[in-house]
Amino acid sequence: RLQVPHVREYLEDREVTAWFLLDLSPSVDFGSGQARKREIAQDFVALVGRLLTRHGNRVGALLYGSAVEGVIPAGSGRRQVLRILHAMQQRAAPGARKQAAARRTDLADLLGAAAQVVRRRSLIFVVSDFFSAPGWAERLAHMVRRHEMLAVRLYDPLESALPDLGLIPFVDSETGEQVLVDTHDAGFRERFAEAAERREEGLREGFARAGADVLELSTEDDLVESIRRFSDLRRRRSRMPQASRTPESLPGGRRAA
């Protein structure tokens, strides 16, 4: 009508739905310092959940102990975040921890259940220490193709290197098996470090195959600072040419954290 071509642009303002896939198996109770991995997970959910809901977005959660034990449908508001945190706290009760030790953690079960529950494209956080039976990387890769995924890996420095503490008892939090270990033995500490490094390599390969970004949270680091470093790294990566991206420049892996 105006005799001049115009282009109408529609800016669709849609709310984001986010899901926390929470590994609350017994291994996340470990912590060599003031904080345990479980507490880091709770702080992460509280911080990110509130940032999302205060802008009108919705958050939900799947809780995993020895199996998927609860689903909290996505909802909005401060009460929804408190509901998820309360469920995590209840899951930390002594009776619940004892029951969860009945079988080995298998994150493939958690990811498989999430694929059935989360039908629409969403922002998904997999919060775990990734002490799991094999097979989770394939499930994670399947979900990466459908959703925006972030693997939030919890870890404690003592899981990578043992100090010389003499003769101490070790307890497998998953099975309850106990063994007496002489950490004064330099050969044992070296074998422990080598086994930890093999596990690190396996995790890096699994995340790379799945194509998932990884945020690593240590029990000794500041949560907000870790998230800020990760965000800065992700922004720098998005500006890099594809050919120049090296493993050291990608989110995930201790070097990138």
Side-chain angles (χ1 to χ4, degrees):
R1 293 196 300 256
L2 300 177
Q3 304 302 315
V4 177
H6 288 71
V7 177
R8 175 176 291 177
E9 295 183 356
Y10 292 93
L11 301 179
E12 190 174 10
D13 186 16
R14 295 192 305 172
E15 67 178 18
V16 173
T17 300
W19 288 85
F20 296 101
L21 310 188
L22 302 172
D23 173 13
L24 303 177
S25 58
S27 62
V28 301
D29 282 319
F30 181 74
S32 60
Q34 295 183 348
R36 297 177 298 163
K37 290 183 286 185
R38 182 186 298 272
E39 294 164 351
I40 301 300
Q42 292 173 340
D43 290 345
F44 176 80
V45 171
L47 175 61
V48 175
R50 193 65 191 107
L51 286 174
L52 288 166
T53 55
R54 70 186 299 179
H55 295 292
N57 302 304
R58 301 191 306 153
V59 295
L62 275 74
L63 283 70
Y64 179 94
S66 58
V68 178
E69 299 172 355
V71 177
I72 300 177
S76 60
R78 177 174 174 269
R79 288 182 178 273
Q80 176 71 359
V81 178
L82 292 176
R83 181 184 178 189
I84 296 175
L85 293 173
H86 177 72
M88 295 178 70
Q89 191 65 36
Q90 290 294 106
R91 192 61 192 69
R97 291 199 301 265
K98 184 177 181 180
Q99 182 181 4
R103 61 190 292 265
R104 186 180 180 188
T105 298
D106 190 348
L107 292 178
D109 291 345
L110 174 59
L111 293 167
Q116 298 298 317
V117 172
V118 186
R119 295 293 188 175
R120 298 180 59 182
R121 181 172 178 82
S122 303
L123 172 61
I124 300 181
F125 303 95
V126 186
V127 185
S128 172
D129 57 7
F130 290 88
F131 280 100
S132 169
W136 57 267
E138 290 73 15
R139 293 284 180 89
L140 184 61
H142 175 73
M143 296 200 69
V144 165
R145 292 193 291 268
R146 298 183 57 190
H147 305 280
E148 183 177 353
M149 303 287 298
L150 177 63
V152 182
R153 184 196 168 197
L154 313 170
Y155 74 95
D156 186 277
L158 206 59
E159 294 169 340
S160 300
L162 283 178
D164 183 355
L165 299 175
L167 200 63
I168 58 174
F170 272 35
V171 180
D172 188 325
S173 57
E174 300 282 313
T175 64
E177 181 181 357
Q178 299 186 28
V179 63
L180 204 59
V181 173
D182 184 9
T183 60
H184 184 66
D185 184 346
F188 174 81
R189 296 199 305 274
E190 182 178 351
R191 292 191 298 273
F192 182 93
E194 291 173 352
E197 180 56 32
R198 287 194 297 271
R199 178 174 181 271
E200 290 293 325
E201 292 176 359
L203 287 176
R204 287 195 291 267
E205 291 174 0
F207 291 133
R209 286 200 312 272
D213 282 346
V214 187
L215 167 62
E216 296 204 332
L217 299 179
S218 169
T219 56
E220 291 189 348
D221 290 343
D222 179 81
L223 174 64
V224 175
E225 180 62 21
S226 297
I227 294 177
R228 186 195 64 79
R229 289 200 308 267
F230 174 81
S231 300
D232 291 345
L233 180 62
R234 203 173 187 183
R235 281 195 294 269
R236 289 199 303 271
R237 186 192 65 164
S238 66
R239 294 194 294 266
M240 293 172 59
Q242 184 71 26
S244 65
R245 297 181 185 179
T246 63
E248 289 80 3
S249 69
L250 300 178
R254 204 60 57 81
R255 290 171 294 181

